Amino acid sequence: MRVVLKIAGAGTEGELVDVRQVRVNGEVLSCIPERILRRYTVFPLEADEQTVRVVAAPPVNLFMVDDLQLVTGKKVRVAFAEKSEIQKLLDKYLSDPAVAAEEAAEEAAAGSAEISEEALLRGEEAAPIIRLVNSFFRQGLADGASDIHVEPRAENTLVRFRVDGVMLDKMQLAKRIHPMVAARIKILAGLDIAQRRLPQDGRVKINLEGRTVNMRISTLPTVHGEKVVIRFLSREGGLLELEQLGLAPPDLHRMYRVLRNNYGMLLITGPTGSGKTTTLYSLLNRLKTSEKNVITLEDPVEYEMEGVNQVAINPKAGLTFAGGLRAVLRQDPDIIMVGEIRDRETADIAVRAALTGHLVLSTLHTNDAASTVTRLLDMGLEAYLVAPALIGVVAQRLLRRICPHCRVPYVPAPAERKFLEGLPPVLTAYRGAGCGACEGTGYRGRIGVFEVMVLNDRLREMIVGGAGLAEIKKEARRGGMSTLLESARQLVAAGVVSFEEVGRVLAGEEESELFAGELKTIPAGGRSRGGDPVDRRNTLS
């Protein structure tokens, strides 16, 4: 179907086009300012030396044609499509937060200093703010961010993304638009927009780029205004297969051995952000069957799993981990997952559940696998209960992978060769030089390093006998456990992670045993202790 329109002086003619078949030309797209494209809901298709062809919603806006001709210096040809479809194109290909922030600041300066709650709810007058917030979400997903931080400062607002566990500054916003940005995010999460003096938490589910995205929103009052943190809860991200976690083959076999138990307690340990939740869900995904009653207690429920009864902890309503665990035990469970053991009461109930025929999975904050035993005893549990209940402990960390797009070889320094001592000689090591794909960091994606301690009769006797941490660790290693550093050494030797990244995450772990502290000479970001860049002159061409 073709529609021909003749407009005086415009030289335009139009036809209906299917925007789903549009092939985007980045060069043409960049020749027209985003504010013009969004103002008229128009999208450029192609251009030559004399003309530019765009798609717009009928009827033709003469002011649009004039503005486009003025900006491009070319004659304008117009094709037609549904306005909603053109808007999708704009949202997909024009998601630069900096542009949206500039537009929002300009409108805020031109109009009132603050958009009303009613306008934000209706979306009227607040279009620049809405587009700015939406651009955060899109850019965060595109960059693989786990969190977005909107932080008010004295002179401006800083937006930072946490990518691969590291905070990256993305952009600065004008101070005057911060209350509007915070209010828009709070409205999405169903929070009280008028309450700015107390912390608030909420959740929101939106459809973005054809995906359903779950986000957790947290606000915190600071000296300069409300700080807002947005955490992406990707449904797909928490359902990795056990084999995809990065466990070395010996550790994977030890995990299989532990999971064959019908009862007992398996604990995943590590600091916040070390991937414990992902590991827990991978274990549940492998264990759940139609023959078993699986119940979880979580705070909050981050990923919804088919075939699993998931319970969200709500302390304000009186539902705590300890109280919830008592209730779960009356539900005839086969497998129980407790999001985190935070206190003695929860730990005591979990241990007794493991001793009475239930398989219990949970997490604990300890530095390594062996420390888990002493941590449970320090919480007040009896050694004669911990020893038979505990069947295994997995300690883990996440290391950033070297970016495959800018990976460069270099000759390893003496400290690195000493770190890799005992492995086949590594003549060439690798690090990321920094490129557009990794935003100059040299890293893209993460991989886990693990130590898997399986409890045997000898370890149980030592726990009951009051053995110390060093003795327990020594016996676990005698039984085949590889430490976090030993796992990291294999990845460095394979060129998957860098020596600097191991230093950033694992410096201080068993340094006397493996490398006598050399890792501490290169802390985070590949910089020396004194702050000077690491000498990279030994990089191979």
Side-chain angles (χ1 to χ4, degrees):
M1 178 179 179
R2 185 174 178 82
V3 181
V4 178
L5 301 176
K6 296 189 181 296
I7 304 174
T12 66
E13 61 178 24
E15 61 179 312
L16 295 178
V17 298
D18 183 356
V19 296
R20 292 172 297 182
Q21 305 300 322
V22 167
R23 303 184 74 173
V24 177
N25 185 320
E27 188 174 337
V28 176
L29 188 60
S30 63
C31 73
I32 304 175
E34 181 177 351
R35 58 185 177 82
I36 299 291
L37 297 177
R38 290 197 179 276
R39 179 185 301 168
Y40 296 114
T41 316
V42 59
F43 195 88
L45 301 177
E46 56 189 357
D48 55 31
E49 291 183 359
Q50 285 80 34
T51 63
V52 58
R53 184 167 175 259
V54 301
V55 60
V60 172
N61 185 324
L62 293 179
F63 295 107
M64 172 198 75
V65 174
D66 288 341
D67 279 356
L68 290 176
Q69 290 185 160
L70 184 64
V71 167
T72 62
K74 301 176 181 180
K75 289 185 178 181
V76 176
R77 295 172 53 218
V78 183
F80 298 109
E82 291 288 339
K83 185 174 182 178
S84 60
E85 295 298 321
I86 300 171
Q87 188 65 55
K88 289 179 183 177
L89 271 182
L90 293 171
D91 289 342
K92 183 174 183 179
Y93 293 103
L94 298 177
S95 59
D96 185 357
V99 175
E102 183 180 347
E103 186 179 351
E106 287 176 358
E107 293 222 3
S112 61
E114 191 169 331
I115 293 172
S116 67
E117 178 181 349
E118 292 75 15
L120 280 166
L121 286 168
R122 293 193 307 268
E124 300 172 3
E125 306 172 25
I129 297 297
I130 293 172
R131 286 199 295 271
L132 175 59
V133 171
N134 289 347
S135 73
F136 293 165
F137 300 156
R138 290 191 185 89
Q139 194 66 50
L141 285 175
D143 290 354
S146 60
D147 304 84
I148 298 174
H149 293 241
V150 184
E151 302 180 356
R153 303 291 173 89
E155 302 297 330
N156 54 37
T157 290
L158 185 63
V159 179
R160 304 202 290 167
F161 290 1
R162 185 178 293 279
V163 180
D164 294 334
V166 176
M167 296 290 286
L168 301 175
D169 294 354
K170 298 301 291 187
M171 63 179 298
Q172 292 182 357
L173 305 179
K175 182 71 174 177
R176 60 179 172 270
I177 69 172
H178 178 83
M180 294 178 275
V181 171
R184 174 60 186 169
I185 297 171
K186 288 164 70 176
I187 286 170
L188 287 174
L191 303 179
D192 183 357
I193 193 173
Q195 179 56 266
R196 300 181 182 179
R197 297 182 179 180
L198 294 175
Q200 297 187 69
D201 292 287
R203 292 173 70 106
V204 61
K205 178 166 33 175
I206 63 173
N207 191 283
L208 205 60
E209 307 291 350
R211 297 169 52 189
T212 298
V213 180
N214 289 269
M215 295 178 286
R216 191 168 73 218
I217 311 296
S218 172
T219 70
L220 182 71
T222 69
V223 173
H224 300 296
E226 281 186 294
K227 176 180 176 179
V228 182
V229 176
I230 303 153
R231 165 157 288 192
F232 290 108
L233 305 175
S234 169
R235 290 172 180 240
E236 302 85 15
L239 296 178
L240 295 176
E241 295 295 332
L242 193 57
E243 294 76 11
Q244 296 176 297
L245 294 178
L247 287 155
D251 289 334
L252 193 58
H253 289 307
R254 276 191 282 274
M255 287 289 285
Y256 290 153
R257 210 166 83 217
V258 171
L259 295 179
R260 284 199 293 266
N261 287 274
N262 290 321
Y263 61 89
M265 185 163 67
L266 172 62
L267 294 176
I268 314 298
T269 74
T272 300
S274 59
K276 299 189 296 297
T277 300
T278 298
T279 300
L280 273 181
Y281 276 95
S282 298
L283 294 172
L284 280 182
N285 200 35
R286 186 175 187 86
L287 289 169
K288 69 182 179 72
T289 68
S290 59
E291 300 171 351
K292 293 183 178 179
N293 178 19
V294 184
I295 304 179
T296 72
L297 291 168
E298 306 173 60
D299 183 21
V301 175
E302 295 198 7
Y303 310 101
E304 295 179 13
M305 290 188 70
E306 189 69 29
V308 176
N309 303 285
Q310 296 174 273
V311 179
I313 293 302
N314 187 354
K316 292 180 180 178
L319 180 57
T320 62
F321 275 116
L325 189 50
R326 287 195 194 91
V328 165
L329 289 172
R330 293 193 287 269
Q331 292 284 313
D332 186 30
D334 296 296
I335 300 171
I336 304 169
M337 191 270 270
V338 181
E340 182 182 348
I341 293 179
R342 298 176 179 172
D343 51 58
R344 176 181 175 175
E345 187 179 11
T346 305
D348 187 62
I349 300 170
V351 164
R352 293 180 186 278
L355 290 172
T356 54
H358 305 90
L359 183 59
V360 179
L361 311 178
S362 190
T363 69
L364 198 64
H365 289 277
T366 63
N367 290 329
D368 55 29
S371 299
T372 302
V373 174
T374 55
R375 171 71 174 140
L376 291 172
L377 298 178
D378 288 343
M379 292 174 76
L381 299 185
E382 299 293 342
Y384 71 87
L385 294 176
V386 172
L390 199 60
I391 56 175
V393 181
V394 179
Q396 65 181 75
R397 300 288 191 281
L398 290 176
L399 301 177
R400 292 180 294 172
R401 293 176 179 266
I402 299 171
C403 175
H405 302 286
C406 61
R407 192 177 82 149
V408 294
Y410 70 98
V411 178
E416 296 173 79
R417 289 197 295 271
K418 183 174 179 62
F419 175 61
L420 299 173
E421 193 175 334
L423 298 175
V426 177
L427 302 179
T428 303
Y430 295 89
R431 60 164 60 100
C435 64
C438 61
E439 298 200 25
T441 64
Y443 300 98
R444 188 170 179 84
R446 289 191 288 179
I447 187 170
V449 288
F450 302 85
E451 57 182 43
V452 181
M453 183 175 78
V454 179
L455 273 289
N456 55 30
D457 291 340
R458 175 59 184 153
L459 279 171
R460 291 190 172 96
E461 288 174 4
M462 293 175 67
I463 293 170
V464 173
L469 175 60
E471 296 174 89
I472 293 173
K473 184 179 292 186
K474 187 175 181 180
E475 178 60 31
R477 294 188 66 182
R478 190 180 293 118
M481 181 187 81
S482 296
T483 66
L484 293 168
L485 273 172
E486 288 168 339
S487 298
R489 291 197 327 157
Q490 299 290 339
L491 294 177
V492 172
V496 177
V497 302
S498 70
F499 183 67
E500 291 93 338
E501 177 66 2
V502 175
R504 183 184 73 86
V505 177
L506 294 178
E509 301 280 347
E510 300 177 19
E511 55 186 337
S512 60
E513 290 188 38
L514 290 179
F515 50 87
E518 280 89 347
L519 276 181
K520 285 192 173 181
T521 64
I522 308 180
R527 304 188 70 83
S528 67
R529 183 182 289 272
D532 297 323
V534 174
D535 187 358
R536 298 182 185 270
R537 286 174 294 180
N538 60 344
T539 299
L540 299 176
S541 58

